[in-house]
Amino acid sequence: MTPPAEAPPSPQPPAAGSRNTLVLVVFTAVTNLADGVTKVALPLLATQLTDSPAKVSGVALTLTLPWLLAALHVGVLVDRYDRRRLLWVANTVRIAAIAALLVAALGDGMSLAVLYVGGTALGVAEVIALTSAAAMVPMAVPPEGRDRANAWLAGAETACNEFCGPFVGGLLVAAGTSVALGATGVAYVAAMGILVLLVGRFTPLSGTGQPVGTVNQRIAEGLRFLWRHRLLRLMALSVGVLASCWGAWLALMPLMATKTMGLDARQYGVLLSALGAGGLIGALTVGPVNRLLGRRWSMFADLLGTAAMVAAPVVTTRLWVVAAGAFLGGMGGILWTVNSRIISQRLVPTEMMGRYNAAARLFSWGAMPLGAGLVGLLAEVFDMRTAFACFAVATLLIIVPFLRTVTPAALAAVPVEHKQSS
């Protein structure tokens, strides 16, 4: 068996853990607010350049494709280098990409090619940032504070990325492309300074101070760990289907909202904000929901919520109905996110968190570009409603495997404390 990649880190004292939780929540809020603005700005810019569903979906594809192409190698980096410095690197890339897009917009040089290149750079930065941040939580926060930290982080991520960000993004895009891009760049710069306030060591090393194994060997370790654990494997495969639905919805909805539903930029921002409103409610109620229903049914709610999200545009173009579906999808998504993070952080050794998170997100975030690409093709061949219907059916098909694997016995076997290597 491969030797552990690091000695277990010293647990953070409660005061440091509370400080780190606050820093990570603020950092997450600021960067996801900027991401939420970008999520609105780039697709809407694409609709000004083309009416093709496939080409508009291509913008969302570039934002998420790096999860398929780079996630596993990023996971090795996260388990080898200082995770806080990797967050600084990610934000530097984000700032450079936003600056390039701003120059293109001010110089009347905006094109689909420029959007695709900028989206790809932002996507790569997101892979580095999210993988590093997720791997930092067990090192930054003591076990007794992780449930609260995960709920707050997920709530900040959803509220800012799906609620505040899209709403503000719609207003900023209406004010002008340069205004939206400039505000996003300022937010990324501010986020870099916030990371200085973190307390602790975030560099995972082996006992000899050297990484163990080659890059490919370490990638294989992470994949084997995920695949051999039945509960983690089912969670990864299930979220792959759910994430493909999110990718499809986010990719095609800009065109459906503007061309079929007749929404303007502000109304589209309100529609996207329904996702965040649901997520915010989910973050605030995840504790009571878990106590009332248990983790199993709390996570199961995401299957039904995601199905409602992609099914709503099939049956109607009324804004309030589509927004209600998005609300249910957002609420279910946050219930799944918080519970799955808690489960994985208790099962996965600290020294493998980077590779595990990268492998797991390969199934989740990596499925988003597949969903974005597939929904664009289905909409081209058939129509947008048929495309959404296919994803609604796919979500319902994973109900039985989920119920057979995520059983009360399987969840009872999850340890209370975070797992460390021996």
PDB file of all heavy atoms in Angstrom, residues 277-312:
ATOM      1  N   ALA A 277     -31.376  31.971  -4.367  1.00  0.00           N
ATOM      2  CA  ALA A 277     -32.338  32.097  -3.266  1.00  0.00           C
ATOM      3  C   ALA A 277     -32.632  30.722  -2.676  1.00  0.00           C
ATOM      4  O   ALA A 277     -32.675  30.545  -1.453  1.00  0.00           O
ATOM      5  CB  ALA A 277     -33.610  32.760  -3.765  1.00  0.00           C
ATOM      6  N   GLY A 278     -32.825  29.737  -3.550  1.00  0.00           N
ATOM      7  CA  GLY A 278     -33.049  28.381  -3.068  1.00  0.00           C
ATOM      8  C   GLY A 278     -31.841  27.848  -2.321  1.00  0.00           C
ATOM      9  O   GLY A 278     -31.970  27.194  -1.282  1.00  0.00           O
ATOM     10  N   GLY A 279     -30.653  28.119  -2.861  1.00  0.00           N
ATOM     11  CA  GLY A 279     -29.440  27.674  -2.198  1.00  0.00           C
ATOM     12  C   GLY A 279     -29.252  28.327  -0.846  1.00  0.00           C
ATOM     13  O   GLY A 279     -28.814  27.690   0.118  1.00  0.00           O
ATOM     14  N   LEU A 280     -29.588  29.612  -0.744  1.00  0.00           N
ATOM     15  CA  LEU A 280     -29.465  30.320   0.527  1.00  0.00           C
ATOM     16  C   LEU A 280     -30.403  29.727   1.572  1.00  0.00           C
ATOM     17  O   LEU A 280     -30.010  29.503   2.729  1.00  0.00           O
ATOM     18  CB  LEU A 280     -29.762  31.804   0.323  1.00  0.00           C
ATOM     19  CG  LEU A 280     -29.638  32.702   1.560  1.00  0.00           C
ATOM     20  CD1 LEU A 280     -28.228  32.630   2.134  1.00  0.00           C
ATOM     21  CD2 LEU A 280     -30.010  34.136   1.205  1.00  0.00           C
ATOM     22  N   ILE A 281     -31.627  29.438   1.165  1.00  0.00           N
ATOM     23  CA  ILE A 281     -32.569  28.799   2.083  1.00  0.00           C
ATOM     24  C   ILE A 281     -32.050  27.422   2.490  1.00  0.00           C
ATOM     25  O   ILE A 281     -32.148  27.020   3.659  1.00  0.00           O
ATOM     26  CB  ILE A 281     -33.960  28.681   1.437  1.00  0.00           C
ATOM     27  CG1 ILE A 281     -34.540  30.075   1.164  1.00  0.00           C
ATOM     28  CG2 ILE A 281     -34.907  27.873   2.321  1.00  0.00           C
ATOM     29  CD1 ILE A 281     -34.712  30.930   2.396  1.00  0.00           C
ATOM     30  N   GLY A 282     -31.477  26.699   1.521  1.00  0.00           N
ATOM     31  CA  GLY A 282     -30.918  25.393   1.833  1.00  0.00           C
ATOM     32  C   GLY A 282     -29.790  25.487   2.845  1.00  0.00           C
ATOM     33  O   GLY A 282     -29.690  24.671   3.766  1.00  0.00           O
ATOM     34  N   ALA A 283     -28.907  26.492   2.694  1.00  0.00           N
ATOM     35  CA  ALA A 283     -27.786  26.661   3.622  1.00  0.00           C
ATOM     36  C   ALA A 283     -28.271  27.013   5.022  1.00  0.00           C
ATOM     37  O   ALA A 283     -27.702  26.557   6.021  1.00  0.00           O
ATOM     38  CB  ALA A 283     -26.842  27.736   3.101  1.00  0.00           C
ATOM     39  N   LEU A 284     -29.319  27.820   5.109  1.00  0.00           N
ATOM     40  CA  LEU A 284     -29.835  28.231   6.410  1.00  0.00           C
ATOM     41  C   LEU A 284     -30.610  27.124   7.108  1.00  0.00           C
ATOM     42  O   LEU A 284     -30.717  27.119   8.340  1.00  0.00           O
ATOM     43  CB  LEU A 284     -30.739  29.466   6.240  1.00  0.00           C
ATOM     44  CG  LEU A 284     -30.051  30.757   5.774  1.00  0.00           C
ATOM     45  CD1 LEU A 284     -31.079  31.848   5.523  1.00  0.00           C
ATOM     46  CD2 LEU A 284     -29.015  31.219   6.793  1.00  0.00           C
ATOM     47  N   THR A 285     -31.131  26.176   6.336  1.00  0.00           N
ATOM     48  CA  THR A 285     -31.999  25.140   6.910  1.00  0.00           C
ATOM     49  C   THR A 285     -31.389  23.752   6.862  1.00  0.00           C
ATOM     50  O   THR A 285     -32.050  22.790   7.259  1.00  0.00           O
ATOM     51  CB  THR A 285     -33.348  25.109   6.178  1.00  0.00           C
ATOM     52  OG1 THR A 285     -33.138  24.807   4.783  1.00  0.00           O
ATOM     53  CG2 THR A 285     -34.059  26.448   6.295  1.00  0.00           C
ATOM     54  N   VAL A 286     -30.137  23.607   6.396  1.00  0.00           N
ATOM     55  CA  VAL A 286     -29.579  22.265   6.230  1.00  0.00           C
ATOM     56  C   VAL A 286     -29.510  21.525   7.561  1.00  0.00           C
ATOM     57  O   VAL A 286     -29.761  20.311   7.613  1.00  0.00           O
ATOM     58  CB  VAL A 286     -28.186  22.337   5.563  1.00  0.00           C
ATOM     59  CG1 VAL A 286     -27.188  23.110   6.405  1.00  0.00           C
ATOM     60  CG2 VAL A 286     -27.662  20.942   5.254  1.00  0.00           C
ATOM     61  N   GLY A 287     -29.194  22.215   8.652  1.00  0.00           N
ATOM     62  CA  GLY A 287     -29.151  21.570   9.962  1.00  0.00           C
ATOM     63  C   GLY A 287     -30.506  21.034  10.379  1.00  0.00           C
ATOM     64  O   GLY A 287     -30.644  19.834  10.681  1.00  0.00           O
ATOM     65  N   PRO A 288     -31.551  21.885  10.414  1.00  0.00           N
ATOM     66  CA  PRO A 288     -32.880  21.384  10.759  1.00  0.00           C
ATOM     67  C   PRO A 288     -33.400  20.311   9.798  1.00  0.00           C
ATOM     68  O   PRO A 288     -34.043  19.351  10.222  1.00  0.00           O
ATOM     69  CB  PRO A 288     -33.755  22.650  10.696  1.00  0.00           C
ATOM     70  CG  PRO A 288     -32.815  23.776  10.951  1.00  0.00           C
ATOM     71  CD  PRO A 288     -31.512  23.361  10.326  1.00  0.00           C
ATOM     72  N   VAL A 289     -33.112  20.469   8.495  1.00  0.00           N
ATOM     73  CA  VAL A 289     -33.564  19.458   7.531  1.00  0.00           C
ATOM     74  C   VAL A 289     -32.884  18.121   7.791  1.00  0.00           C
ATOM     75  O   VAL A 289     -33.524  17.059   7.750  1.00  0.00           O
ATOM     76  CB  VAL A 289     -33.295  19.935   6.086  1.00  0.00           C
ATOM     77  CG1 VAL A 289     -33.528  18.786   5.098  1.00  0.00           C
ATOM     78  CG2 VAL A 289     -34.195  21.106   5.739  1.00  0.00           C
ATOM     79  N   ASN A 290     -31.592  18.143   8.088  1.00  0.00           N
ATOM     80  CA  ASN A 290     -30.887  16.901   8.397  1.00  0.00           C
ATOM     81  C   ASN A 290     -31.440  16.241   9.657  1.00  0.00           C
ATOM     82  O   ASN A 290     -31.568  15.011   9.719  1.00  0.00           O
ATOM     83  CB  ASN A 290     -29.393  17.164   8.569  1.00  0.00           C
ATOM     84  CG  ASN A 290     -28.674  17.320   7.244  1.00  0.00           C
ATOM     85  OD1 ASN A 290     -29.218  17.007   6.190  1.00  0.00           O
ATOM     86  ND2 ASN A 290     -27.448  17.822   7.286  1.00  0.00           N
ATOM     87  N   ARG A 291     -31.742  17.066  10.661  1.00  0.00           N
ATOM     88  CA  ARG A 291     -32.302  16.492  11.891  1.00  0.00           C
ATOM     89  C   ARG A 291     -33.698  15.934  11.665  1.00  0.00           C
ATOM     90  O   ARG A 291     -34.076  14.918  12.252  1.00  0.00           O
ATOM     91  CB  ARG A 291     -32.326  17.550  12.993  1.00  0.00           C
ATOM     92  CG  ARG A 291     -30.939  17.909  13.533  1.00  0.00           C
ATOM     93  CD  ARG A 291     -31.042  18.749  14.793  1.00  0.00           C
ATOM     94  NE  ARG A 291     -31.579  20.079  14.512  1.00  0.00           N
ATOM     95  CZ  ARG A 291     -30.837  21.131  14.177  1.00  0.00           C
ATOM     96  NH1 ARG A 291     -29.516  20.987  14.050  1.00  0.00           N
ATOM     97  NH2 ARG A 291     -31.383  22.300  13.958  1.00  0.00           N
ATOM     98  N   LEU A 292     -34.454  16.577  10.794  1.00  0.00           N
ATOM     99  CA  LEU A 292     -35.831  16.135  10.545  1.00  0.00           C
ATOM    100  C   LEU A 292     -35.889  14.931   9.610  1.00  0.00           C
ATOM    101  O   LEU A 292     -36.601  13.956   9.872  1.00  0.00           O
ATOM    102  CB  LEU A 292     -36.645  17.291   9.947  1.00  0.00           C
ATOM    103  CG  LEU A 292     -38.101  16.992   9.591  1.00  0.00           C
ATOM    104  CD1 LEU A 292     -38.894  16.672  10.859  1.00  0.00           C
ATOM    105  CD2 LEU A 292     -38.722  18.169   8.848  1.00  0.00           C
ATOM    106  N   LEU A 293     -35.113  14.983   8.522  1.00  0.00           N
ATOM    107  CA  LEU A 293     -35.198  13.946   7.496  1.00  0.00           C
ATOM    108  C   LEU A 293     -34.029  12.970   7.516  1.00  0.00           C
ATOM    109  O   LEU A 293     -34.159  11.844   7.020  1.00  0.00           O
ATOM    110  CB  LEU A 293     -35.280  14.602   6.111  1.00  0.00           C
ATOM    111  CG  LEU A 293     -36.434  15.575   5.862  1.00  0.00           C
ATOM    112  CD1 LEU A 293     -36.327  16.152   4.456  1.00  0.00           C
ATOM    113  CD2 LEU A 293     -37.786  14.887   6.060  1.00  0.00           C
ATOM    114  N   GLY A 294     -32.869  13.405   8.034  1.00  0.00           N
ATOM    115  CA  GLY A 294     -31.659  12.604   7.930  1.00  0.00           C
ATOM    116  C   GLY A 294     -30.896  12.958   6.663  1.00  0.00           C
ATOM    117  O   GLY A 294     -31.449  13.526   5.710  1.00  0.00           O
ATOM    118  N   ARG A 295     -29.590  12.623   6.645  1.00  0.00           N
ATOM    119  CA  ARG A 295     -28.757  12.976   5.489  1.00  0.00           C
ATOM    120  C   ARG A 295     -29.280  12.342   4.215  1.00  0.00           C
ATOM    121  O   ARG A 295     -29.211  12.944   3.146  1.00  0.00           O
ATOM    122  CB  ARG A 295     -27.317  12.523   5.723  1.00  0.00           C
ATOM    123  CG  ARG A 295     -26.572  13.313   6.761  1.00  0.00           C
ATOM    124  CD  ARG A 295     -25.079  13.103   6.626  1.00  0.00           C
ATOM    125  NE  ARG A 295     -24.388  13.494   7.840  1.00  0.00           N
ATOM    126  CZ  ARG A 295     -24.088  14.738   8.158  1.00  0.00           C
ATOM    127  NH1 ARG A 295     -24.421  15.716   7.339  1.00  0.00           N
ATOM    128  NH2 ARG A 295     -23.454  15.012   9.289  1.00  0.00           N
ATOM    129  N   ARG A 296     -29.764  11.100   4.304  1.00  0.00           N
ATOM    130  CA  ARG A 296     -30.178  10.388   3.095  1.00  0.00           C
ATOM    131  C   ARG A 296     -31.270  11.143   2.352  1.00  0.00           C
ATOM    132  O   ARG A 296     -31.167  11.407   1.147  1.00  0.00           O
ATOM    133  CB  ARG A 296     -30.675   8.986   3.484  1.00  0.00           C
ATOM    134  CG  ARG A 296     -30.992   8.112   2.289  1.00  0.00           C
ATOM    135  CD  ARG A 296     -31.733   6.871   2.730  1.00  0.00           C
ATOM    136  NE  ARG A 296     -31.801   5.868   1.674  1.00  0.00           N
ATOM    137  CZ  ARG A 296     -32.737   4.934   1.616  1.00  0.00           C
ATOM    138  NH1 ARG A 296     -33.685   4.876   2.550  1.00  0.00           N
ATOM    139  NH2 ARG A 296     -32.739   4.056   0.633  1.00  0.00           N
ATOM    140  N   TRP A 297     -32.340  11.491   3.049  1.00  0.00           N
ATOM    141  CA  TRP A 297     -33.459  12.156   2.377  1.00  0.00           C
ATOM    142  C   TRP A 297     -33.149  13.613   2.093  1.00  0.00           C
ATOM    143  O   TRP A 297     -33.706  14.213   1.167  1.00  0.00           O
ATOM    144  CB  TRP A 297     -34.720  12.014   3.213  1.00  0.00           C
ATOM    145  CG  TRP A 297     -35.150  10.590   3.345  1.00  0.00           C
ATOM    146  CD1 TRP A 297     -35.131   9.822   4.465  1.00  0.00           C
ATOM    147  CD2 TRP A 297     -35.613   9.741   2.288  1.00  0.00           C
ATOM    148  NE1 TRP A 297     -35.555   8.549   4.180  1.00  0.00           N
ATOM    149  CE2 TRP A 297     -35.866   8.473   2.859  1.00  0.00           C
ATOM    150  CE3 TRP A 297     -35.842   9.926   0.920  1.00  0.00           C
ATOM    151  CZ2 TRP A 297     -36.340   7.397   2.094  1.00  0.00           C
ATOM    152  CZ3 TRP A 297     -36.308   8.857   0.161  1.00  0.00           C
ATOM    153  CH2 TRP A 297     -36.553   7.614   0.756  1.00  0.00           C
ATOM    154  N   SER A 298     -32.266  14.209   2.878  1.00  0.00           N
ATOM    155  CA  SER A 298     -31.821  15.569   2.583  1.00  0.00           C
ATOM    156  C   SER A 298     -31.101  15.604   1.240  1.00  0.00           C
ATOM    157  O   SER A 298     -31.336  16.502   0.408  1.00  0.00           O
ATOM    158  CB  SER A 298     -30.903  16.061   3.697  1.00  0.00           C
ATOM    159  OG  SER A 298     -30.491  17.388   3.456  1.00  0.00           O
ATOM    160  N   MET A 299     -30.221  14.623   1.000  1.00  0.00           N
ATOM    161  CA  MET A 299     -29.522  14.546  -0.283  1.00  0.00           C
ATOM    162  C   MET A 299     -30.469  14.133  -1.402  1.00  0.00           C
ATOM    163  O   MET A 299     -30.344  14.596  -2.542  1.00  0.00           O
ATOM    164  CB  MET A 299     -28.351  13.573  -0.181  1.00  0.00           C
ATOM    165  CG  MET A 299     -27.264  14.024   0.793  1.00  0.00           C
ATOM    166  SD  MET A 299     -25.960  12.808   1.032  1.00  0.00           S
ATOM    167  CE  MET A 299     -25.119  12.925  -0.575  1.00  0.00           C
ATOM    168  N   PHE A 300     -31.430  13.274  -1.090  1.00  0.00           N
ATOM    169  CA  PHE A 300     -32.400  12.839  -2.095  1.00  0.00           C
ATOM    170  C   PHE A 300     -33.210  14.011  -2.646  1.00  0.00           C
ATOM    171  O   PHE A 300     -33.638  14.010  -3.810  1.00  0.00           O
ATOM    172  CB  PHE A 300     -33.338  11.796  -1.488  1.00  0.00           C
ATOM    173  CG  PHE A 300     -34.380  11.272  -2.441  1.00  0.00           C
ATOM    174  CD1 PHE A 300     -34.039  10.345  -3.409  1.00  0.00           C
ATOM    175  CD2 PHE A 300     -35.700  11.705  -2.372  1.00  0.00           C
ATOM    176  CE1 PHE A 300     -34.991   9.857  -4.291  1.00  0.00           C
ATOM    177  CE2 PHE A 300     -36.650  11.234  -3.246  1.00  0.00           C
ATOM    178  CZ  PHE A 300     -36.295  10.297  -4.208  1.00  0.00           C
ATOM    179  N   ALA A 301     -33.400  15.035  -1.801  1.00  0.00           N
ATOM    180  CA  ALA A 301     -34.148  16.216  -2.250  1.00  0.00           C
ATOM    181  C   ALA A 301     -33.505  16.862  -3.462  1.00  0.00           C
ATOM    182  O   ALA A 301     -34.186  17.497  -4.280  1.00  0.00           O
ATOM    183  CB  ALA A 301     -34.262  17.226  -1.107  1.00  0.00           C
ATOM    184  N   ASP A 302     -32.190  16.709  -3.609  1.00  0.00           N
ATOM    185  CA  ASP A 302     -31.512  17.312  -4.757  1.00  0.00           C
ATOM    186  C   ASP A 302     -31.922  16.641  -6.055  1.00  0.00           C
ATOM    187  O   ASP A 302     -31.994  17.292  -7.102  1.00  0.00           O
ATOM    188  CB  ASP A 302     -29.992  17.230  -4.584  1.00  0.00           C
ATOM    189  CG  ASP A 302     -29.246  18.028  -5.645  1.00  0.00           C
ATOM    190  OD1 ASP A 302     -29.820  19.009  -6.166  1.00  0.00           O
ATOM    191  OD2 ASP A 302     -28.097  17.684  -5.946  1.00  0.00           O
ATOM    192  N   LEU A 303     -32.165  15.338  -6.016  1.00  0.00           N
ATOM    193  CA  LEU A 303     -32.608  14.647  -7.231  1.00  0.00           C
ATOM    194  C   LEU A 303     -33.929  15.222  -7.713  1.00  0.00           C
ATOM    195  O   LEU A 303     -34.116  15.511  -8.905  1.00  0.00           O
ATOM    196  CB  LEU A 303     -32.748  13.143  -6.967  1.00  0.00           C
ATOM    197  CG  LEU A 303     -31.487  12.286  -7.093  1.00  0.00           C
ATOM    198  CD1 LEU A 303     -30.431  12.685  -6.057  1.00  0.00           C
ATOM    199  CD2 LEU A 303     -31.825  10.806  -6.919  1.00  0.00           C
ATOM    200  N   LEU A 304     -34.872  15.412  -6.782  1.00  0.00           N
ATOM    201  CA  LEU A 304     -36.178  15.956  -7.146  1.00  0.00           C
ATOM    202  C   LEU A 304     -36.077  17.430  -7.537  1.00  0.00           C
ATOM    203  O   LEU A 304     -36.729  17.876  -8.487  1.00  0.00           O
ATOM    204  CB  LEU A 304     -37.148  15.784  -5.981  1.00  0.00           C
ATOM    205  CG  LEU A 304     -37.381  14.349  -5.492  1.00  0.00           C
ATOM    206  CD1 LEU A 304     -38.405  14.331  -4.356  1.00  0.00           C
ATOM    207  CD2 LEU A 304     -37.839  13.450  -6.641  1.00  0.00           C
ATOM    208  N   GLY A 305     -35.244  18.188  -6.825  1.00  0.00           N
ATOM    209  CA  GLY A 305     -35.099  19.610  -7.133  1.00  0.00           C
ATOM    210  C   GLY A 305     -34.479  19.845  -8.494  1.00  0.00           C
ATOM    211  O   GLY A 305     -34.919  20.716  -9.255  1.00  0.00           O
ATOM    212  N   THR A 306     -33.444  19.064  -8.828  1.00  0.00           N
ATOM    213  CA  THR A 306     -32.802  19.220 -10.135  1.00  0.00           C
ATOM    214  C   THR A 306     -33.744  18.818 -11.258  1.00  0.00           C
ATOM    215  O   THR A 306     -33.779  19.455 -12.318  1.00  0.00           O
ATOM    216  CB  THR A 306     -31.513  18.384 -10.200  1.00  0.00           C
ATOM    217  OG1 THR A 306     -30.637  18.804  -9.150  1.00  0.00           O
ATOM    218  CG2 THR A 306     -30.814  18.565 -11.537  1.00  0.00           C
ATOM    219  N   ALA A 307     -34.523  17.744 -11.022  1.00  0.00           N
ATOM    220  CA  ALA A 307     -35.509  17.329 -12.021  1.00  0.00           C
ATOM    221  C   ALA A 307     -36.530  18.443 -12.266  1.00  0.00           C
ATOM    222  O   ALA A 307     -36.907  18.729 -13.407  1.00  0.00           O
ATOM    223  CB  ALA A 307     -36.215  16.051 -11.576  1.00  0.00           C
ATOM    224  N   ALA A 308     -36.965  19.101 -11.196  1.00  0.00           N
ATOM    225  CA  ALA A 308     -37.914  20.208 -11.340  1.00  0.00           C
ATOM    226  C   ALA A 308     -37.296  21.377 -12.091  1.00  0.00           C
ATOM    227  O   ALA A 308     -37.962  22.030 -12.909  1.00  0.00           O
ATOM    228  CB  ALA A 308     -38.393  20.659  -9.960  1.00  0.00           C
ATOM    229  N   MET A 309     -36.019  21.626 -11.844  1.00  0.00           N
ATOM    230  CA  MET A 309     -35.339  22.753 -12.487  1.00  0.00           C
ATOM    231  C   MET A 309     -35.300  22.593 -14.004  1.00  0.00           C
ATOM    232  O   MET A 309     -35.598  23.538 -14.751  1.00  0.00           O
ATOM    233  CB  MET A 309     -33.925  22.881 -11.931  1.00  0.00           C
ATOM    234  CG  MET A 309     -33.122  24.036 -12.508  1.00  0.00           C
ATOM    235  SD  MET A 309     -31.456  24.133 -11.813  1.00  0.00           S
ATOM    236  CE  MET A 309     -30.700  22.697 -12.604  1.00  0.00           C
ATOM    237  N   VAL A 310     -34.922  21.399 -14.487  1.00  0.00           N
ATOM    238  CA  VAL A 310     -34.807  21.210 -15.937  1.00  0.00           C
ATOM    239  C   VAL A 310     -36.145  20.882 -16.585  1.00  0.00           C
ATOM    240  O   VAL A 310     -36.303  21.035 -17.805  1.00  0.00           O
ATOM    241  CB  VAL A 310     -33.771  20.113 -16.271  1.00  0.00           C
ATOM    242  CG1 VAL A 310     -32.370  20.578 -15.932  1.00  0.00           C
ATOM    243  CG2 VAL A 310     -34.082  18.810 -15.545  1.00  0.00           C
ATOM    244  N   ALA A 311     -37.139  20.453 -15.783  1.00  0.00           N
ATOM    245  CA  ALA A 311     -38.449  20.137 -16.346  1.00  0.00           C
ATOM    246  C   ALA A 311     -39.331  21.372 -16.506  1.00  0.00           C
ATOM    247  O   ALA A 311     -40.199  21.415 -17.389  1.00  0.00           O
ATOM    248  CB  ALA A 311     -39.167  19.101 -15.481  1.00  0.00           C
ATOM    249  N   ALA A 312     -39.132  22.390 -15.671  1.00  0.00           N
ATOM    250  CA  ALA A 312     -39.988  23.577 -15.711  1.00  0.00           C
ATOM    251  C   ALA A 312     -40.024  24.241 -17.082  1.00  0.00           C
ATOM    252  O   ALA A 312     -41.109  24.564 -17.596  1.00  0.00           O
ATOM    253  CB  ALA A 312     -39.551  24.572 -14.634  1.00  0.00           C
TER     254      ALA A 312
END
